Amino acid sequence: MTETKETLKTALYQNHIDHGAKTGPFAGYDMPLYYKEGVIKEHEWVRTHAGLFDVSHMGQAMIRGPEGGTQCREFVEKITPSSFEKLKIGRTKYTVLTNPEGGIVDDLMVTHCDDNAYHFVLNAGCKAKDIDWIKSHLPGDIDFIYFDEWALMAIQGPDSEDVVKATLGLDLSDMPYMAMRALNDNKMFISRLGYTGEDGFEIAVHNNDAPDLWEKLLSDDRCKPIGLAARDGLRLEMGYPLYGHDIDDTTTPVEADLNWIIGKDNKTFIGHGRVWG
């Protein structure tokens, strides 16, 4: 008899039900696809106000090496084609993991979060294989930490900054795009990025703190919960690649028109010979 895998739920699942979400399977999770007003209204709301997405099904991880060393930077330059030497602490890069054939294992966000430490955000559908891939190449002097008890939510849209200030008391007006900050004694991580093409933030907190934070953000009338169907439409509208559709393990960064992520001095990344062959 074939064993059936249990459908997972994020820490925000009950919040979605309480707000009238229509849920469905996505990357092994039961996720909100849309809410009462429907996908088109949600799409338009994000473009004009602020939408709140549950993206807790994505993977959050960190690598950390000996203080003062360069092991982590050298490692991320091995598993990705990008250069990280000039990336300042607190700043983020979009990049990809590559295999020996030059294909893309997955695309991801990498943040230089501390001295000899980097933070990863991994796609939900690929996070298990990504983690296995990263750990299989990990040197013995680097630790891998996976945040499996943390939630991740994204607030996106032109009103996002004002909503965060009004509800959380955080003035993020001086925070640049593609940057991350640790707040509340490392109990919250907030990044200014997202996958909708709008200004906005991704906020990571422990699962225990997520439901209250979700409701606090939604207490502002300018912010509404948005499902994954609208997120896919927003991504498509902006022309952002989706792993498994636009890129996969047979597509090289060059073939995917991602030459801009390849560091000109990175000659040692996995699959380098095939990418430039």
Side-chain angles (χ1 to χ4, degrees), residues 147-164:
F147 298 98
D148 57 347
E149 296 184 349
W150 280 61
L152 186 65
M153 58 193 81
I155 180 169
Q156 298 280 294
D159 288 338
S160 296
E161 183 183 302
D162 291 338
V163 170
V164 170

Side-chain angles (χ1 to χ4, degrees), residues 4 50 67 87 93 124 132 150 156 184 215 220 242 249 273:
T4 302
E67 187 174 345
L87 188 67
K93 272 192 176 186
D132 288 344
W150 280 61
Q156 298 280 294
N184 301 339
E215 296 303 327
D220 192 302
L242 178 65
D249 58 5

Side-chain angles (χ1 to χ4, degrees), residues 164-176:
V164 170
K165 184 175 182 179
T167 58
L168 306 185
L170 297 175
D171 184 354
L172 302 175
S173 58
D174 64 339
M175 188 178 190

Side-chain angles (χ1 to χ4, degrees), residues 34-107:
Y34 54 87
Y35 294 83
K36 296 176 181 178
E37 294 186 355
V39 178
I40 295 176
K41 291 287 188 182
E42 291 179 12
H43 185 119
E44 293 171 346
W45 190 266
V46 174
R47 290 285 183 240
T48 55
H49 298 289
L52 188 60
F53 301 81
D54 180 11
V55 288
S56 304
H57 57 321
M58 299 182 73
Q60 302 178 70
M62 179 183 290
I63 56 170
R64 182 177 294 279
E67 187 174 345
T70 59
Q71 293 94 330
C72 286
R73 176 177 64 79
E74 293 165 359
F75 177 67
V76 293
E77 290 180 343
K78 175 183 177 181
I79 61 174
T80 79
S82 301
S83 175
F84 289 86
E85 185 173 7
K86 295 181 180 179
L87 188 67
K88 295 179 180 179
I89 290 177
R91 301 306 297 268
T92 303
K93 272 192 176 186
Y94 169 84
T95 187
V96 299
L97 301 170
T98 48
N99 61 32
E101 291 72 42
I104 298 172
V105 177
D106 195 12
D107 58 343

